[in-house]
Each structure stands twice: as structure tokens, then as C-alpha cells.
Amino acid sequence: MRRILTEPREPLRFRSIMDRSEILLVNLARGRIGEDSAALLGSLLVTTIGLAGFSRANVPEDQRPDFHSIWTSFRTSRR
Amino acid sequence: MISELRKYHVALTLANQHLSQLEPDVRDAVLGNVGSLIAFSRRATGCRVAVAGIRRAIRTNRSDDAPQSPYLPAADDRRGAVNTVQRRHRTATCSQGIMPTDSVFSSGAHSGHRSRETEEFMSRIALSGVLRQSKLATLAEIEGFESTDALIAASAVDSVSPGICTKPDCDYSTEVEPDQDRGWCEVCGQQTVASALILAGLI
């Protein structure tokens, strides 16, 4: 968590991933990183992807490459 | 965010075991914006919501003036068009059949509104044989069965049964217990849903 949340040497550029049609795989298994960490990172990812999408406002709509975000067992509430 | 990202060409695919994994506001946003609904089971509560949405989409697609959906069969499908016409005909027949009861009732109710109990009682009385057959035919069509016999045969061996609102002007359908004769209709806001087996007189 610390390595992810503190500034890494090469941070993930979600806008770049979107525009270059790259693939990003994130494993948020609660059994591996804990429920709280999974919920926190999941929320951060959703927000970051959304903001990266909104930042495409400076590109004409017909020139925005499609980006697919697939979430399995997506949870918005902690139990 | 779900409802705003479409124009930025960001697509979202969500796969969940059940809808209750989503918070109510997120659930509303998802169900209100998704272009495709896929449900692998019809018995879980969340899947019933999905199935109801799919049914609504199919009904809308079948109507003559509805916009075409890329996810559904073409609206000019002959069988669908014929079914739509037949359903309208049945509805008209059904309304005419129920008219005497309504007329008698209305003549005695000029002075005020009918109570809910009276409404339900009159609805049950009005559930004549013609209306039962009409409702069964409509239910079979909604559920995708070729005939009412096929619908009844499938319902008889299942733990749940398709049900339909018994009001003449309402075709709300949902899954109910096989012996359900007072299921809740989301459209009418009354307990007017009866199962296929009840309508067929088998229970």
C-alpha cells in the first residue's frame, strides 16, 4: 500500500493507458491485500479512471479511442 | 460518473453475483445507463430486476414506432409484429369483456372513490374465464412460450411460476410462487398478480 500510495518512480498514467489502448490488470483480491486496502484502492482506481476519461475533453469526440474498463465482483460498499 | 463517461468513449463492464453488492444510488446509475443486461439466473432477486429490464426492452423493441436497439431482434420481425397485433386485439377483447362489471360498478360509485378492498374484490370477481385465458396468453407471449399449454407445463415442474397482473389494463409480469394469487403489482400498487397455475385453475 505504501509503495502504491507514495510517489513511485514511474507513476501510472491512466490517460496514457487509455489513449494508447494499453492493458492494465489490477488484482484487488481481498484475501491478498485485505478488505480495507481493496476497498480503498478500488475507490481510487474508479475515481482515477473517471477523471482520466473526463480529461479527454481536450480531444475531439470522434478522435477519442475506445477504452473498456471491466470490473468483476465490483463492490461499492464495505461489508 | 457512469452516466457521464459515455461521450468520452470509456465503456464499463460490471460483473456481479447479485445487485445488492452495489449501493442503491450506484445500482440506479448502473441500471439506468447500461446498454446491455445479461442475467444468468432468473431466480435471484437481482436477476429478476435484470430480467424485467430485458422484458421491457423487448416489448419496446416490438412496438412499431420504437427506436431500433442494436442488442435486440429487428422490430420488423414478422412473428413479433403479429404477436403485437394479437396482443392488442386480446387487450381490446379483454376490455370489452370486463366492461359490464365496470359499468355496473361505476353506476353505483358516482358519489365517491372505490376503496382498495372493493377494487381488489371487484377485480377478483371480474377475473372471468375469458380474462384468465387472455392473461395466460399474454403471459405466455411475454415469457416466450409458444402456447399457454407450454407455459403451464413449464410452470408445473418449476419452483417458481410466471405471474401476471389480473387487472384488465395492466400486463405487469414477474416471477411468483406457484400458489401465489395475491402477488404485488409494481405498476398498479396492489396485490393483483396471480401465478400461471392459479390462472389455469390448477391450484
Side-chain angles (χ1 to χ4, degrees):
Chain A
M1 282 292 291
R2 184 184 303 159
R3 277 189 299 169
I4 293 173
L5 295 178
T6 57
E7 186 176 354
R9 291 177 185 171
E10 295 182 3
L12 284 172
R13 305 288 185 191
F14 282 86
R15 174 67 190 276
S16 171
I17 292 172
M18 281 184 175
D19 292 345
R20 296 180 184 179
S21 299
E22 294 175 342
I23 296 174
L24 172 68
L25 291 174
V26 181
N27 186 355
L28 293 177
R30 287 178 297 165
R32 296 185 66 180
I33 61 175
E35 185 160 2
D36 290 343
S37 301
L40 175 62
L41 286 177
S43 301
L44 285 173
L45 273 173
V46 170
T47 306
T48 310
I49 289 174
L51 292 175
F54 290 135
S55 73
R56 289 177 154 189
N58 59 356
V59 177
E61 188 167 350
D62 57 343
Q63 296 176 19
R64 297 169 189 162
D66 291 334
F67 179 77
H68 289 267
S69 176
I70 300 172
W71 298 79
T72 58
S73 297
F74 177 77
R75 285 171 183 253
T76 57
S77 59
R78 288 168 50 193
R79 300 189 175 190
Chain B
M1 194 167 69
I2 293 171
S3 56
E4 297 171 81
L5 279 174
R6 183 180 290 123
K7 63 183 173 187
Y8 297 102
H9 287 228
V10 177
L12 181 67
T13 300
L14 289 178
N16 282 71
Q17 283 80 23
H18 45 89
L19 277 178
S20 57
Q21 287 178 324
L22 305 175
E23 289 176 350
D25 52 342
V26 177
R27 193 183 314 160
D28 291 342
V30 169
L31 293 176
N33 287 283
V34 293
S36 302
L37 281 170
I38 301 172
F40 292 102
S41 168
R42 297 172 58 195
R43 297 185 184 168
T45 306
C47 289
R48 290 181 187 176
V49 176
V51 170
I54 293 169
R55 282 186 189 141
R56 276 194 299 273
I58 291 173
R59 285 181 209 165
T60 303
N61 189 257
R62 277 185 177 175
S63 67
D64 301 333
D65 52 352
Q68 293 288 323
S69 167
Y71 307 103
L72 294 168
D76 59 356
D77 176 83
R78 292 300 172 199
R79 186 178 172 192
V82 170
N83 283 343
T84 304
V85 172
Q86 286 176 342
R87 183 169 58 191
R88 284 176 184 161
H89 176 66
R90 275 198 298 272
T91 306
T93 307
C94 173
S95 300
Q96 289 161 8
I98 209 70
M99 189 61 75
T101 308
D102 275 347
S103 300
V104 171
F105 190 83
S106 298
S107 63
H110 283 305
S111 57
H113 291 289
R114 296 178 270 192
S115 68
R116 171 168 288 190
E117 290 76 15
T118 310
E119 283 269 9
E120 289 180 5
F121 179 66
M122 293 307 294
S123 175
R124 288 179 191 289
I125 290 177
L127 200 59
S128 63
V130 175
L131 181 55
R132 284 172 186 265
Q133 289 181 6
S134 171
K135 286 293 179 183
L136 271 174
T138 305
L139 188 56
E141 182 187 332
I142 293 171
E143 292 292 327
F145 289 96
E146 291 183 355
S147 66
T148 54
D149 289 343
L151 167 68
I152 294 167
S155 304
V157 296
D158 205 345
S159 59
V160 293
S161 168
I164 190 169
C165 178
T166 53
K167 291 271 188 179
D169 53 350
C170 177
D171 283 342
Y172 173 80
S173 63
T174 184
E175 300 282 353
V176 295
E177 297 290 329
D179 59 349
Q180 179 62 270
D181 63 345
R182 300 187 61 177
W184 184 255
C185 176
E186 295 284 353
V187 177
C188 302
Q190 297 179 2
Q191 293 175 305
T192 51
V193 173
S195 76
L197 299 180
I198 291 288
L199 289 171
L202 295 178
I203 295 180

